[in-house]
Amino acid sequence: DADNAGAYNLRGLIYASLNELQLAEQSFQRALQMSPRDGDALHNYGWFLCQQRRFDDADTQFAAAVQAPQYVDTPRSWMARGVCQARAGRWAEAEKSLAHSFELDPGNPATAFSYAEVLYRRGEYERARFYVRRINGQAGQSNAQTLWLAARIERRLGNLPGVQDFGRQLNERFPDSPEAA
């Protein structure tokens, strides 16, 4: 069906995963040409652009996605926007976007982790500690990355027993991870 915008969006994702960047971009653009206010296509194209380090263009797509009528996954787009802004080194913007995503979906561990990471990078260690504790305090949500971030935060706060505790957990639970190394 050559008139199916969703198919072009999916094709863009497939081509992006195959590293066929020109075909992916053409597919996303075609999907948005057919359905310019499709939040999913705007989000996916934004993420694609972020992966290509085209940060300004990505931000434009994420901004359009969160404004798209009837788009229900705005917390995901706010999170992706914040992650992309962080990759661009735009820490203040990233903090705002991730805070908004967290307000919309406070139970999302990926958002809490990304938010904690940005706060850590900005030197907001106590605040970062709060968000990473939310993840590490829930069974099944912590992983090597969250434990490593917690250890780094505790180190910055001068809490040596905390650093040792998170280091022990990391080595016991994820001994083969790059973070444990």
Side-chain angles (χ1 to χ4, degrees), residues 51-62:
Q51 300 300 320
Q52 305 311 305
R53 304 187 58 78
R54 292 169 52 192
F55 300 121
D56 291 335
D57 294 335
D59 197 63
T60 299
Q61 297 304 310
F62 290 129

Side-chain angles (χ1 to χ4, degrees), residues 3-174:
D3 294 325
N4 187 330
Y8 282 100
N9 181 29
L10 181 59
R11 188 170 87 167
L13 291 170
I14 293 167
Y15 279 136
S17 72
L18 295 172
N19 207 32
E20 294 285 346
L21 305 181
Q22 185 176 4
L23 293 171
E25 181 142 13
Q26 290 170 355
S27 297
F28 288 127
Q29 288 177 350
R30 179 70 177 128
L32 289 169
Q33 182 181 43
M34 296 169 71
S35 185
R37 297 175 65 123
D38 179 338
D40 287 316
L42 289 162
H43 173 92
N44 291 337
Y45 187 38
W47 189 247
F48 169 79
L49 293 168
C50 183
Q51 300 300 320
Q52 305 311 305
R53 304 187 58 78
R54 292 169 52 192
F55 300 121
D56 291 335
D57 294 335
D59 197 63
T60 299
Q61 297 304 310
F62 290 129
V66 299
Q67 296 298 318
Q70 300 173 354
Y71 179 53
V72 296
D73 213 357
T74 56
R76 176 179 71 128
S77 291
W78 278 108
M79 181 184 70
R81 186 180 193 186
V83 168
C84 193
Q85 290 164 332
R87 288 182 180 181
R90 299 175 185 158
W91 301 110
E93 293 173 48
E95 181 180 344
K96 288 178 186 174
S97 295
L98 291 164
H100 193 67
S101 178
F102 187 82
E103 289 171 13
L104 295 172
D105 186 9
N108 185 326
T111 298
F113 174 77
S114 297
Y115 193 25
E117 181 73 38
V118 166
L119 292 170
Y120 172 81
R121 300 270 181 157
R122 296 199 72 203
E124 300 272 348
Y125 305 123
E126 286 290 346
R127 290 179 63 211
R129 174 194 263 174
F130 172 81
Y131 291 99
V132 81
R133 276 185 175 172
R134 289 179 59 98
I135 303 165
N136 288 333
Q138 298 290 320
Q141 287 189 354
S142 66
N143 59 38
Q145 290 178 321
T146 64
L147 294 170
W148 176 239
L149 177 57
R152 293 182 353 235
I153 291 167
E154 295 305 319
R155 181 179 163 272
R156 291 290 184 161
L157 290 170
N159 180 6
L160 185 58
V163 173
Q164 292 170 337
D165 180 50
F166 286 114
R168 180 189 50 74
Q169 289 182 56
L170 187 56
N171 285 316
E172 286 176 3
R173 295 177 54 203
F174 307 99

